[in-house]
Amino acid sequence: MNTILHLGLGSFHRAHQAVYVHQLRELGDTRWSIAGGNLRPDMLDTIAALQAQGGAYTLETVTPQGERSYTRITSIQRVLSYQEDLAPLVAVAADPATRIISFTVTEAGYYLDASNQLDWASFPDLRADLAAVKAGQAGHSLYGALVTLLRARMNAGAGPVTLMNCDNLRHNGDRSRSGLLQFIDAVGDTALKDWVQAHTSSPNAMVDRITPRPTPDVAERVKAATGLDDPAALMGESFIQWVIEDRFIAGRPEWERVGVEMVDSVDAYEEAKIRLLNATHSCIAWAGTLIGYSYIHEGTHHDVIRRFAYDYVTDDVIPVLDTPEHPCPIHLPRYRDVVLDRFGNPAIADTNQRVAMDGFSKIPGFIAPTIRERLARGETIDSVALLPALFLAYLQRWHAGQIPYTYQDQAMQPEAAHAMCEAPDPVAAFCADPTLWGELAGDARLVDAVRRASERVSRFVTAHTGVRPAPT
């Protein structure tokens, strides 16, 4: 039996990667199973429920037409308890039967700046994790934890292992590997660095499935449909996609048998997904929140918000992703329309709160690349500039304490964000922020476009709520 050790047993992993492994096992290929746990003491109720159920749970899937189906997922064979020293995870990592270590820690959990360097200055928790690892304790950031796990594997002589990133991060394998090697350099463990470079691989991957945070009514529907009391039940859309570069150093499941696309390069798929889906998702969440909506489908069906998203993709994204010199293998207009149909599914009930989070990672990761490429080609950025303008208006609401839910953003420094909103010229301060913009920070063309877009946002909010936003 081969093991995939997964770090981060949140909803996305259980509705995506675990499903593919389950489907393969259902075909009779039981050579692979998942052992999973968390790096921090969170989700304790869900972990306890999964342990009580032997790792099994029910997944509800919903089509855009509202058709629901239920599947008992059984690919997670071991649910590892959280311990401060990560001992249960370490034991699995050091087992030669473990061939893949995979992880979902959200975009902000990689601590990378615009130049793909670890941003030590902005993240005190990363500095604290480094200090803990240097002191011989277990790390609890992704990098610190991987150092702890991979050291144990190296010392056990357990052989090579693939490090598989399953997060929405451009070039996610390459970038998480770079962050790990930088962290190991900071620790000063040259033996471990040499071992990691020789005995691990880090394939890039593109993952896609909308998976809202589970609400109590999911378990209620599962109970009504299946008769099972399942506190670990969750729900996702029927659409699912996984594209992986076939670079596994220690073997892998035959995922192609269950619809995974194994490719030489994920670049085209990755860019299309991040820019057409992820950025558009954020656009709808920020805009919807500004006019009092709670759910993504509400904003998607609002004519003006839908037009914001449609124009952003059509005017500015498709022209840079599909060119005569580099034609895109994906039919982007069709992909755009499928994305908007998925977002409009009311049965998903995906919240603006979930999608709006981590704007300080999403602006540089999802949106700034299109702005940068359009400007490099001497082209306008009017449609894409609306997205950062929406986030600035959203941030000003947060600053004023007027967001109707808790805003979570691991990459945001709250004092700097408040200062930005209090500046005499918030647009200029926002566009000058290096965390958001990297080398684009302060670019006059960016400032001008976001200023004009902010005026559009102000008119939009006033027209649809009667409330005049904070001046920008």
Side-chain angles (χ1 to χ4, degrees):
M1 174 78 73
N2 299 308
T3 300
I4 300 169
L5 172 60
H6 187 78
L7 311 177
L9 286 180
S11 297
F12 184 77
H13 165 70
R14 293 187 294 122
H16 190 269
Q17 181 192 346
V19 172
Y20 283 108
V21 176
H22 170 81
Q23 290 173 340
L24 199 53
R25 292 171 64 86
E26 289 291 287
L27 291 179
D29 184 351
T30 57
R31 292 174 293 171
W32 292 83
S33 67
I34 299 170
N38 288 352
L39 302 180
R40 295 188 168 107
D42 50 13
M43 290 175 53
L44 295 178
D45 290 346
T46 301
I47 296 294
L50 287 169
Q51 288 176 324
Q53 295 168 185
Y57 56 94
T58 305
L59 173 67
E60 176 189 61
T61 56
V62 190
T63 69
Q65 294 74 38
E67 300 157 349
R68 300 178 189 270
S69 59
Y70 299 87
T71 307
R72 193 73 171 166
I73 306 297
T74 58
S75 53
I76 302 177
Q77 296 285 295
R78 285 180 284 171
V79 180
L80 307 172
S81 298
Y82 173 81
Q83 289 182 203
E84 185 70 22
D85 61 2
L86 302 186
L89 296 174
V90 167
V92 177
D95 183 345
T98 298
R99 303 303 184 93
I100 297 170
I101 299 175
S102 58
F103 35 90
T104 43
V105 298
T106 81
E107 299 89 355
Y110 295 91
Y111 304 103
L112 297 167
D113 64 17
S115 302
N116 289 326
Q117 299 300 302
L118 286 182
D119 190 353
W120 299 101
S122 299
F123 297 106
D125 57 328
L126 184 63
R127 299 194 301 272
D129 205 57
L130 174 64
V133 172
K134 282 184 169 181
Q137 300 164 12
H140 295 274
S141 70
L142 173 67
Y143 304 124
L146 285 175
V147 165
T148 302
L149 301 181
L150 294 174
R151 266 182 181 164
R153 188 174 185 88
M154 175 182 72
N155 292 336
V161 67
T162 298
L163 306 176
M164 187 169 69
N165 190 327
C166 299
D167 275 313
N168 283 321
L169 193 72
R170 184 179 279 99
H171 310 312
N172 59 8
D174 295 340
R175 294 178 71 198
S176 55
R177 185 178 189 84
S178 172
L180 172 62
L181 293 174
Q182 291 174 55
F183 192 94
I184 294 172
D185 282 339
V187 172
D189 191 337
T190 55
L192 178 63
K193 184 177 182 181
D194 291 345
W195 186 90
V196 167
Q197 289 178 314
H199 293 88
T200 69
S201 64
S202 301
N204 295 307
M206 186 276 273
V207 296
D208 192 4
R209 186 174 224 177
I210 297 171
T211 310
R213 289 176 181 150
T215 53
D217 57 319
V218 176
E220 292 167 10
R221 288 194 299 271
V222 167
K223 170 76 170 176
T226 69
L228 292 172
D229 282 310
D230 187 351
L234 72 157
M235 181 257 277
E237 65 170 339
S238 54
F239 181 95
I240 187 168
Q241 188 178 22
W242 198 6
V243 185
I244 317 174
E245 292 175 351
D246 202 352
R247 294 191 284 115
F248 287 75
I249 199 169
R252 62 166 177 83
E254 291 182 36
W255 274 314
E256 58 269 47
R257 292 184 64 195
V258 290
V260 178
E261 298 168 80
M262 307 302 302
V263 299
D264 292 331
S265 171
V266 301
D267 287 357
Y269 301 91
E270 185 179 78
E271 287 303 320
K273 195 258 177 162
I274 285 174
R275 301 201 205 189
L276 273 73
L277 187 143
N278 295 122
T280 302
H281 221 184
S282 298
C283 167
I284 292 168
W286 296 328
T289 298
L290 289 174
I291 62 170
Y293 288 159
S294 298
Y295 296 99
I296 290 295
H297 68 268
E298 296 173 315
T300 306
H301 289 296
H302 187 285
D303 288 346
V304 178
I305 296 176
R306 191 182 186 95
R307 176 56 65 177
F308 287 164
Y310 184 95
D311 287 350
Y312 150 70
V313 172
T314 307
D315 298 345
D316 288 357
V317 175
I318 292 178
V320 298
L321 291 189
D322 189 10
T323 66
E325 307 80 37
H326 301 287
C328 184
I330 302 159
H331 190 286
L332 295 178
R334 187 182 306 131
Y335 184 53
R336 170 201 62 207
D337 295 344
V338 168
V339 163
L340 289 172
D341 284 346
R342 291 167 59 195
F343 290 168
N345 185 349
I348 295 293
D350 202 5
T351 62
N352 289 331
Q353 178 179 15
R354 185 189 78 85
V355 179
M357 66 187 289
D358 288 330
F360 273 79
S361 297
K362 290 173 178 176
I363 292 284
F366 300 170
I367 297 162
T370 298
I371 293 177
R372 198 158 45 239
E373 288 162 28
R374 295 280 296 176
L375 290 176
R377 290 161 44 149
E379 295 170 343
T380 63
I381 56 170
D382 290 343
S383 294
V384 62
L386 196 77
L387 276 62
L390 285 166
F391 180 60
L392 174 57
Y394 178 98
L395 203 62
Q396 290 176 302
R397 287 275 187 93
W398 165 83
H399 167 69
Q402 294 170 355
I403 297 291
Y405 50 76
T406 300
Y407 174 62
Q408 297 172 293
D409 196 326
Q410 293 185 60
M412 178 178 73
Q413 295 178 281
E415 58 285 353
H418 283 302
M420 189 186 296
C421 295
E422 291 170 358
D425 185 345
V427 169
F430 175 77
C431 292
D433 187 87
T435 301
L436 292 169
W437 299 109
E439 73 276 12
L440 268 180
D443 188 298
R445 298 166 298 174
L446 173 67
V447 176
D448 178 60
V450 173
R451 194 179 304 285
R452 284 184 282 109
S454 292
E455 292 166 1
R456 286 183 63 198
V457 170
S458 180
R459 292 193 297 270
F460 157 71
V461 173
T462 302
H464 294 283
T465 64
V467 176
R468 186 161 296 282
T472 56

